[in-house]
Amino acid sequence: MVIAIDGPAASGKSSTAQWVAQRLGYRHVDSGSLYRALTAAALRDAAVDEPWSGEQLVTHGPRVSLRPEGSSFVVRIDGADCDAEIRDNAVTSQVSRVASMPEVREWVNAQVRQAAQTHDVVVDGRDIGTVVFPNAPLKIFLVADPWERARRRLNQRLERRPSDDEVAEETDLLVQRDAKDATQTVQAKDAVLLDTTYLTQPEQVERIVALAHAVTHRPLVT
Ligand code: CDP
């Protein structure tokens, strides 16, 4: 079973996918973490302004692994945890460029499909329901107002209420990344569109869990 959750930057895909996976006894695969890890591995070896090619970038692929852990697959670089590194600004500012290369996309898609061979998965990304798993029985496209997305991302990162100026600055960055990612962020025709601007996280999780039960015809256990 595959549940695909796609949507723009900071629309809550990863945290929602993680909760949904826990509720259903599935495993969460964060495809963005693979794009980020490949970018971070390349950045360890080369300067940011290097004119990278897709072929060169995928040579770092064997250094990046996905390890099943609880209800997730955790990404590692050279066998070690890399969560803070892959979310830092250096990686975030370069990842869209890396993700635009077809060789890189093929490499990430192969890792994600392999993870789904052995587990029921909730996969989040941008093209999961269109390119990676076009036959997924449940596809969700998560959207939210840019200001609200920026506010949530900062709340999570700073662990405090951000100021309006901080939210405005983060909104600009998100909108710029949305533009860079536009070609790879595609809503599948059969995806359920969920606008989470006015939903709490538990509400959006419950909606997806209910849809998953409807699709699998399994009874709803609370
Ligand atoms: O959570 P956030 O929106 O910040 O991004 P992410 O899911 O961690 O993905 C990081 C970057 O990877 C995105 O900005 C895209 O450039 C790329 N990506 C992609 O192209 N296709 C995917 N399926 C997932 C991520």
Side-chain angles (χ1 to χ4, degrees):
M1 172 68 181
V2 174
I3 299 177
I5 304 186
D6 290 305
S11 54
K13 303 178 299 283
S14 284
S15 48
T16 303
Q18 179 63 49
W19 279 34
V20 170
Q22 263 169 21
R23 283 287 309 275
L24 298 173
Y26 291 11
R27 280 209 165 97
H28 168 215
V29 184
D30 173 358
S31 65
S33 72
L34 286 163
Y35 288 102
R36 287 175 178 275
L38 200 67
T39 308
L43 279 174
R44 283 184 188 181
D45 288 1
V48 167
D49 53 7
E50 194 95 350
W52 287 328
S53 72
E55 268 172 14
Q56 239 177 320
L57 282 161
V58 293
T59 62
H60 296 282
R63 299 170 58 196
V64 176
S65 57
L66 266 189
R67 221 177 73 148
E69 221 178 88
S71 57
S72 309
F73 277 92
V74 176
V75 72
R76 294 178 154 230
I77 304 175
D78 299 331
D81 176 62
C82 57
D83 198 58
E85 180 182 354
I86 68 173
R87 316 248 161 236
D88 72 17
N89 287 340
V91 170
T92 302
S93 64
Q94 295 304 316
V95 64
S96 301
R97 169 162 77 111
V98 169
S100 70
M101 300 185 195
E103 295 87 348
V104 170
R105 303 200 72 75
E106 269 167 39
W107 177 80
V108 168
N109 295 350
Q111 310 310 305
V112 174
R113 288 184 185 125
Q114 198 180 340
Q117 273 180 3
T118 49
H119 298 88
D120 287 333
V121 286
V122 184
V123 187
D124 81 280
R126 283 171 171 71
D127 57 349
I128 306 303
T130 48
V131 176
V132 188
F133 295 112
N135 297 321
L138 179 59
K139 302 175 186 177
I140 309 290
F141 198 80
L142 276 191
V143 294
D145 173 75
W147 180 276
E148 179 58 17
R149 289 191 272 138
R151 195 191 62 74
R152 290 177 188 169
R153 176 71 30 119
L154 283 175
N155 241 333
Q156 184 184 39
R157 195 186 303 145
L158 307 174
E159 294 179 7
R160 65 165 167 81
R161 219 182 128 189
S163 70
D164 282 359
D165 284 351
E166 287 171 326
V167 179
E169 195 182 325
E170 185 68 17
T171 304
D172 278 351
L173 292 174
L174 277 185
V175 170
Q176 281 171 32
R177 194 145 62 89
D178 285 349
K180 288 190 215 158
D181 286 334
T183 50
Q184 49 234 28
T185 309
V186 192
Q187 181 180 345
K189 285 196 184 77
D190 52 348
V192 176
L193 178 70
L194 197 56
D195 185 334
T196 70
T197 307
Y198 302 106
L199 291 180
T200 64
Q201 188 131 50
E203 285 168 340
Q204 70 205 41
V205 169
E206 287 318 309
R207 290 198 189 187
I208 298 172
V209 167
L211 287 166
H213 284 294
V215 166
T216 58
H217 306 293
R218 288 180 198 159
L220 188 61
V221 182
T222 48

